[in-house]
Amino acid sequence: MAKQRDHIFDEPRAMIVDFTFDERVASVFPDMIRRSVPGYGEVIALTGLFAERYAQPGSTLYDLGCSLGAATLSMRRRIHVNGCRIVAVDNAPAMVEQCRANLEADKSPVPVDVHCSDIRQVGIEDASVVIVNFTLQFIEPDERLELLHHIHQGLRPGGVLVLSEKVVFEDSSEQQFQESMHLDFKRANGYSDLAISQKRTALENVLLPESIEAHETRLRNAGFAKVHTWFRCFNFASIAAFRTP
Ligand code: GEK
């Protein structure tokens, strides 16, 4: 896995364009996401526990918006039932290329197919576990329900969707508090105020967070009968949504 430190937004820029997942981002991604997303390491490690508990024999596990394959690797090492495979999907060629290399270096026997495509175009079939870690936030809000409905349709009864997102808070004082703790987290991880502010501008039009309540309501509207927020750290949260038998 690439081990380079993220300096992408360190130097002043005359013009800041929208954030894209290109070669430069792929080369520093593990460092970037760990220093930017509080709780990322825990969510990835615990994703493996969802696979361990909910993978059904002969089913498919999906990692939608897989980036360099961290959640896929975590699941792959903890699947103990027979006949499973993982489908990992990302639409950024640079991320997919590095993801394939990371998976090849891993010796687990569970087969993985990596697809370079939009997660809105992927067929979800015979699934027991679907992971969408920090990726729905990059899809236009009015397209999110259709995608979640499609995932629900493709899950077997008893299957689970794990949805992790950056979130916002309806109460303005809580929003201010959680956002300022996130800012402290990034500063403590060595990002300068300039780097933080330039990255925020680059993400402004592409990362569109919603509240936990909005996600939970949409998941129920998509057909998920049981919806539980199981993790939160400042303004990042993860929700488990179940297709009931
Ligand atoms: C992890 N889950 O390490 N279709 C496919 N991929 C997409 C789309 C789309 N429509 N939009 C964005 N992506 C990972 C981290 S990162 C989160 C996920 C972050 C991809 C994009 O190319 C990138 O790789 C990923 O979603 C988001 O657990 O960088 O904040």
Side-chain angles (χ1 to χ4, degrees):
M1 204 172 269
K3 287 272 178 350
Q4 288 182 51
R5 189 152 171 99
D6 169 26
H7 293 292
I8 292 178
F9 290 97
D10 286 5
E11 297 305 318
R13 295 187 179 191
M15 197 179 83
I16 298 176
V17 295
D18 282 351
F19 190 89
T20 52
F21 293 92
D22 55 15
E23 285 82 6
R24 204 162 166 219
V25 169
S27 71
V28 298
F29 188 75
D31 178 71
M32 171 186 271
I33 196 152
R34 275 173 201 280
R35 288 165 65 214
S36 309
V37 176
Y40 174 77
E42 282 72 22
V43 169
I44 290 298
L46 297 170
T47 295
L49 292 190
F50 280 94
E52 185 163 21
R53 178 182 277 248
Y54 293 103
Q56 299 179 21
S59 67
T60 303
L61 293 84
Y62 290 85
D63 180 5
L64 304 181
C66 61
S67 297
L68 306 193
T72 292
L73 285 168
S74 178
M75 291 199 288
R76 199 184 193 192
R77 292 168 186 158
R78 287 202 167 260
I79 295 170
H80 302 308
V81 293
N82 290 328
C84 290
R85 68 180 189 120
I86 301 177
V87 173
V89 182
D90 203 286
N91 67 351
M95 303 297 264
V96 166
E97 192 183 322
Q98 185 61 50
C99 180
R100 289 199 171 113
N102 291 344
L103 292 169
E104 251 161 55
D106 175 72
K107 298 292 168 237
S108 157
V110 176
V112 184
D113 297 321
V114 185
H115 297 291
C116 188
S117 65
D118 195 299
I119 59 173
R120 289 164 293 190
Q121 310 300 325
V122 173
I124 309 287
E125 281 162 25
D126 213 17
S128 56
V129 178
V130 178
I131 306 297
V132 187
N133 272 348
F134 311 108
T135 297
L136 193 71
Q137 60 201 18
F138 294 106
I139 305 277
E140 286 296 329
D142 63 2
E143 293 182 35
R144 294 178 186 179
L145 178 60
E146 191 183 337
L147 174 60
L148 296 179
H149 190 252
H150 178 62
I151 292 171
H152 181 263
Q153 292 288 102
L155 274 167
R156 288 184 183 180
V160 64
L161 161 67
V162 176
L163 174 67
S164 310
E165 289 277 285
K166 182 174 189 185
V167 294
V168 290
F169 297 86
E170 279 151 19
D171 177 70
S172 60
S173 110
E174 179 163 19
Q175 172 61 19
Q176 210 177 12
F177 162 69
Q178 303 288 5
E179 212 179 355
S180 65
M181 292 307 290
H182 182 212
L183 190 61
D184 286 355
F185 174 85
K186 287 185 283 189
R187 284 187 185 128
N189 283 332
Y191 283 117
S192 66
D193 284 352
L194 176 69
I196 293 169
S197 139
Q198 294 195 129
K199 188 175 181 196
R200 185 186 296 136
T201 304
L203 283 170
E204 211 156 50
N205 301 319
V206 288
L207 194 169
L208 306 168
E210 295 175 290
S211 67
I212 293 178
E213 294 75 16
H215 284 297
E216 289 184 346
T217 302
R218 186 186 290 114
L219 285 162
R220 290 200 184 87
N221 290 340
F224 291 94
K226 246 183 8 165
V227 176
H228 302 308
T229 296
W230 63 273
F231 180 88
R232 185 158 76 72
C233 186
F234 304 138
N235 47 352
F236 289 82
S238 188
I239 304 171
F242 297 88
R243 176 160 188 168
T244 47

